[in-house]
Amino acid sequence: MFERDTLVHLFAGGSGGTIGAILTCPLEVVKTRLQSSSVSLFVSEVQHSSVHGAKSKRVTPGPLRCLKLILEKEGPRSLFKGLGPNLVGVAPSRAIYFGAYSYSKEKLSTVLEPDSTPVHMFSAALAGFCAITATNPIWLIKTRLQLDTRSRGEQRMSVAECIRRVYRADGLRGFYRGMSASYAGISETVVHFVIYENIKLKMMEARGTANMDNDNQAVKGASDFARLMVAAATSKTFATVLAYPHEVIRTRLREEGNKYRFFSQTVSLLWKEEGGQALYRGLTTHLLRQIPNTAIVMCSYEIVVYMLNG
């Protein structure tokens, strides 16, 4: 019975992650470009002074400007760069995560107070560590593909070419660049799940004391899933804003070249060259993508678990 329950959570997590990845891929591409070190150079190359012919000033574009530049230079298909690795990685990543989270929560509940905050925190941290360690090479390939800025009509970088370039430059360890920043980002997952579980508990308590005379189970079920989406979106907003800088650092570490070598060096260099605000580049786009993505993932996860468990 326990093994069946674990498989249910694995399948539900993978299904939710896949649905969310497909629907929010264009925002993921824009966010990654804004986080990268090349975005200001990309703008300076396409802007021109029509009066004096002066060299363009480097600026960091907003999300809409970045989206427009991508469409103009690379075409609509570029908004789905990295979707292949994303789809390959998101199902096992989410499956590993939710499976490990469910397993850890059940085990920790036997030694700590069941469903307590420490149980949710440690379970989320262990689940994040397992998922990151297992799937980092896939996310590195995805990021490299999203940062490929070849113009419309040029041969796009393939997954095979990307793998060869990573291996040629850094060997096997090159596929694990950015993993330290991902580990730092476990704090976001921990905060997210702690808030989510607490909001969900409060909602269950409120529903338990509500008037239960209405026998329309379909209405009550739809209402429950809507509340879960609100809980997921709310918890993710707080967690994302708190831990966002690790996203920028991770993207920089995954770029080609050796300018960004390790976590603390990247933070120091980024602060020195671009200022503290650079640690929050792409936050607006990230929120526009992550909040609906998280709500979709969590709601899909809960629905699949509900359906499979009857």
Side-chain angles (χ1 to χ4, degrees):
M1 188 57 144
F2 172 72
E3 289 182 359
R4 181 188 180 281
D5 186 61
T6 301
L7 289 173
V8 166
H9 286 280
L10 283 168
F11 181 75
S15 300
T18 300
I19 294 168
I22 294 172
L23 294 178
T24 61
C25 185
L27 288 172
E28 168 78 6
V29 173
V30 173
K31 179 209 73 172
T32 303
R33 294 290 181 89
L34 291 172
Q35 290 174 341
S36 72
S37 62
S38 61
V39 66
S40 59
L41 177 61
F42 178 77
V43 175
S44 69
E45 288 177 344
V46 299
Q47 289 180 333
H48 301 280
S49 171
S50 59
V51 179
H52 303 292
K55 189 174 181 179
S56 300
K57 179 183 178 181
R58 288 190 178 190
V59 294
T60 300
L64 291 177
R65 176 62 175 159
C66 184
L67 175 63
K68 182 181 178 183
L69 290 169
I70 292 172
L71 289 171
E72 287 177 351
K73 184 180 179 185
E74 303 170 51
R77 284 182 57 197
S78 63
L79 293 176
F80 290 90
K81 283 183 175 179
L83 181 58
N86 210 353
L87 292 179
V88 169
V90 73
S93 175
R94 292 292 183 177
I96 291 167
Y97 183 89
F98 282 109
Y101 180 77
S102 176
Y103 180 83
S104 300
K105 189 166 70 169
E106 180 159 340
K107 289 295 185 182
L108 289 171
S109 291
T110 63
V111 295
L112 300 172
E113 182 183 348
D115 284 328
S116 62
T117 297
V119 168
H120 296 312
M121 289 180 65
F122 288 125
S123 297
L126 288 170
F129 182 85
C130 292
I132 289 164
T133 304
T135 60
N136 192 81
I138 299 173
W139 305 132
L140 179 129
I141 297 300
K142 180 204 73 173
T143 301
R144 290 286 180 91
L145 291 174
Q146 290 177 338
L147 293 177
D148 181 41
T149 58
R150 300 181 194 185
S151 300
R152 192 195 305 253
E154 290 185 85
Q155 181 68 40
R156 298 174 185 272
M157 183 190 293
S158 66
V159 172
E161 180 188 352
C162 186
I163 292 173
R164 286 195 298 269
R165 291 175 67 159
V166 173
Y167 185 77
R168 217 168 24 234
D170 299 304
L172 287 176
R173 70 174 185 174
F175 293 97
Y176 290 89
R177 288 177 60 169
M179 196 158 65
S180 58
S182 293
Y183 286 149
I186 290 175
S187 60
E188 177 182 338
T189 303
V190 172
V191 172
H192 163 52
F193 260 94
V194 169
I195 297 174
Y196 174 75
E197 293 283 0
N198 277 280
I199 293 176
K200 191 167 75 168
L201 180 62
K202 295 295 183 183
M203 286 180 172
M204 290 173 63
E205 290 174 353
R207 189 179 186 278
T209 58
N211 185 351
M212 299 299 291
D213 291 336
N214 183 6
D215 291 328
N216 190 336
Q217 293 298 320
V219 173
K220 285 192 284 189
S223 177
D224 286 341
F225 290 128
R227 290 191 185 99
L228 289 172
M229 291 187 73
V230 172
T234 302
S235 59
K236 192 62 177 181
T237 301
F238 284 104
T240 297
V241 173
L242 183 66
Y244 182 75
H246 90 272
E247 288 265 352
V248 178
I249 296 164
R250 183 174 61 195
T251 296
R252 297 300 178 95
L253 287 169
R254 287 175 176 170
E255 291 180 359
E256 285 193 84
N258 296 313
K259 181 178 181 179
Y260 303 106
R261 297 189 300 276
F262 50 88
F263 190 91
S264 59
Q265 179 261 352
T266 302
V267 174
S268 176
L269 188 60
L270 199 60
W271 190 284
K272 180 180 177 181
E273 292 185 346
E274 303 175 43
Q277 71 275 7
L279 292 171
Y280 284 89
R281 272 171 49 173
L283 176 60
T284 301
T285 307
H286 184 64
L287 288 173
L288 287 173
R289 172 194 171 272
Q290 194 72 1
I291 293 172
N293 181 67
T294 302
I296 292 166
V297 169
M298 298 303 296
C299 187
S300 301
Y301 167 73
E302 298 284 357
I303 290 172
V304 173
V305 170
Y306 174 79
M307 292 175 64
L308 292 178
N309 285 335

